Amino acid sequence: MTVLGIETSCDETAAAVLSRDDKTGQLTLLSSAVASSLTLHAQTGGIIPEIAAREQVKYILPVITKALEEGVGFSLPNAPKGAIPPIDAIAVTYGPGLIGSLLVGVETAKTLALLWNKPLIPVNHLYGHVYANLLTTKNQQPTTLKFPAVALVVSGGHTDLILMQSHEDITVIGGTRDDAAGEAFDKIGRLLNLPYPAGPIISRLAEKGNPKAFDLPRPMLGSHDFDFSFSGLKTAVLNLNKKQGWNFTDEQFAKENQQLLSDICASVQAAIIDVLVRKTLKAVKHYQANSLLIGGGVAANEKLAKTFSEKAQEQDISTHIFIPERSLCTDNAAMIAAASFFTDPVAWEEVTANPELYF
Ligand code: KG4
Ligand code: ZN
């Protein structure tokens, strides 16, 4: 079975073709195309939804064309009238995300499904990040997921802990009460005059810094639930910034204080990772999870991966920890196609009749 996946929930426009071996269940990625309007958002220091949506309109057809051409050798612009690509279904992200961006992918997928007479599979973006772990690519070996499993989705918009008893029995057991982990990286980065998105830059600068230089708060670390909160950390850095009289918007100051910047970045990263790792491992222990699946843009952080395996070892946790290859951590359509194999196709009448369930 071969699926065309479409993802347009934020500032990436993506399409991918994925095939499943009906005997082994192995999910092999045949193509993955991603266009990003990130450089535009870097100029404004964050995403402006209206601009992101307009960019989706620009990229959606070129991206689908590329994915079909590379994945199944079907040329959309040159195909004879009425030709249908050799795919069995179309999967599309229905939410959560920016509504204007989502609508571009959803409407395109609906149109193609109608035109080609293919089933349509609406996929939850968060489950996409989780199922990115089950893809087989050049850099990612086939894997088997053992239940119960705990998943941590950490991105610019989400910090969620999910319990999976089976592919059908999935519950969110915790989430952020305010800012997401990626959002904390990005907002603190803005304070330090770092370009958007700041997560990857903070992690690079942190390599040369001292993670103990500043004693930053670890919000909700001791709480008896599986929730997170990161806005207090942002406020703590803001207050420290004021108290110490730092001014990274001043070129001269920034130039003369590179070590200080690295130390702040290392301390911020350590605080975020500490909370993510400790809370997640607490959930792993509590539910006696056999697998831990991590996904989302922040999962691309190497220090996070390293800390997870170190702390698991320290705590004698032998749970298998999955983290996707870097390009599958950030938004892509391969993960949406992957998740679609575990999601029932839904008639669009059902989606339009119950929009509150899907948007
Ligand atoms: O999953 P994603 O591409 O988009 C959302 O669904 O939000 O995640 C983007 C987020 C941004 O906040 C970005 O700063 C963060 O992931 N990020 C990182 C790293 N790479 C991306 N955060 C920390 N370390 C990284 N290496
Ligand atoms: Zn995402």
Side-chain angles (χ1 to χ4, degrees):
M1 179 163 169
T2 305
V3 167
L4 167 68
I6 297 174
E7 151 66 36
T8 66
S9 67
C10 192
D11 57 339
E12 267 89 22
T13 315
V17 180
L18 190 63
S19 81
R20 182 179 62 182
D21 184 313
D22 290 332
K23 281 202 194 94
T24 62
Q26 186 173 312
L27 301 175
T28 305
L29 186 56
L30 302 179
S31 67
S32 177
V34 183
S36 175
S37 55
L38 201 65
T39 44
L40 282 180
H41 307 300
Q43 291 167 21
T44 45
I47 293 172
I48 297 179
E50 164 94 16
I51 293 178
R54 283 168 189 263
E55 292 300 297
Q56 295 286 1
V57 175
K58 209 188 299 176
Y59 292 133
I60 188 77
L61 288 180
V63 154
I64 291 175
T65 301
K66 190 162 188 263
L68 285 175
E69 193 133 25
E70 289 176 9
V72 286
F74 182 87
S75 169
L76 204 52
N78 302 319
K81 205 169 162 208
I84 297 175
I87 54 163
D88 300 297
I90 299 173
V92 63
T93 306
Y94 68 80
L98 303 173
I99 192 70
S101 289
L102 283 166
L103 286 175
V104 177
V106 166
E107 286 306 312
T108 307
K110 275 165 73 176
T111 308
L112 293 178
L114 203 67
L115 188 69
W116 295 336
N117 194 24
K118 303 288 178 195
L120 195 61
I121 313 172
V123 174
N124 181 310
H125 181 82
L126 297 181
Y127 296 173
H129 278 303
V130 174
Y131 281 102
N133 285 292
L134 301 195
L135 284 165
T136 303
T137 69
K138 268 188 280 172
N139 310 315
Q140 213 164 276
Q141 299 307 309
T143 41
T144 322
L145 168 60
K146 288 206 183 104
F147 295 110
V150 163
L152 170 71
V153 177
V154 256
S155 69
H158 295 273
T159 306
D160 288 311
L161 271 173
I162 297 165
L163 173 66
M164 302 169 80
Q165 296 287 7
S166 69
H167 290 299
E168 290 76 36
D169 184 353
I170 300 178
T171 0
V172 176
I173 52 170
T176 182
R177 302 237 176 128
D178 40 58
D179 292 351
E183 195 179 353
F185 272 115
D186 297 337
K187 286 183 174 169
I188 291 172
R190 198 175 175 155
L191 207 78
L192 301 171
N193 202 30
L194 298 174
Y196 175 88
I201 301 164
I202 290 184
S203 86
R204 191 167 37 78
L205 289 168
E207 283 167 23
K208 296 191 203 108
N210 172 10
K212 292 192 175 135
F214 300 98
D215 186 18
L216 296 172
R218 267 77 170 149
M220 297 192 69
L221 190 59
S223 70
H224 295 294
D225 49 27
F226 296 111
D227 283 344
F228 300 92
S229 161
F230 290 102
S231 76
L233 176 63
K234 177 190 63 192
T235 311
V237 179
L238 182 73
N239 290 341
L240 200 60
N241 192 55
K242 265 194 212 145
K243 198 170 141 206
Q244 305 277 352
W246 298 332
N247 183 7
F248 286 98
T249 49
D250 176 343
E251 241 178 74
Q252 189 65 22
F253 180 88
K255 215 168 139 194
E256 286 166 5
N257 288 283
Q258 282 302 299
Q259 188 55 47
L260 170 66
L261 182 62
S262 291
D263 287 344
I264 303 168
C265 289
S267 304
V268 166
Q269 178 174 267
I272 295 176
I273 290 179
D274 200 16
V275 181
L276 289 175
V277 172
R278 288 219 241 165
K279 274 256 154 115
T280 306
L281 291 182
K282 188 176 128 185
V284 165
K285 269 195 193 158
H286 183 83
Y287 292 103
Q288 299 184 342
N290 287 313
S291 311
L292 169 60
L293 305 147
I294 303 167
V298 181
N301 186 297
E302 282 169 24
K303 185 77 184 163
L304 179 74
K306 213 167 146 230
T307 314
F308 259 117
S309 62
E310 279 169 8
K311 294 287 167 200
Q313 221 171 3
E314 256 175 55
Q315 295 180 33
D316 242 349
I317 297 173
S318 56
T319 305
H320 188 89
I321 303 176
F322 297 75
I323 299 186
E325 64 171 89
R326 187 182 283 253
S327 66
L328 297 173
C329 287
T330 46
D331 288 351
N332 64 85
M335 67 184 199
I336 301 304
S340 78
F341 286 104
F342 305 94
T343 314
D344 286 334
V346 173
W348 273 101
E349 295 79 61
E350 149 81 6
V351 179
T352 8
N354 302 292
E356 70 285 359
L357 292 178
Y358 297 96
F359 287 103

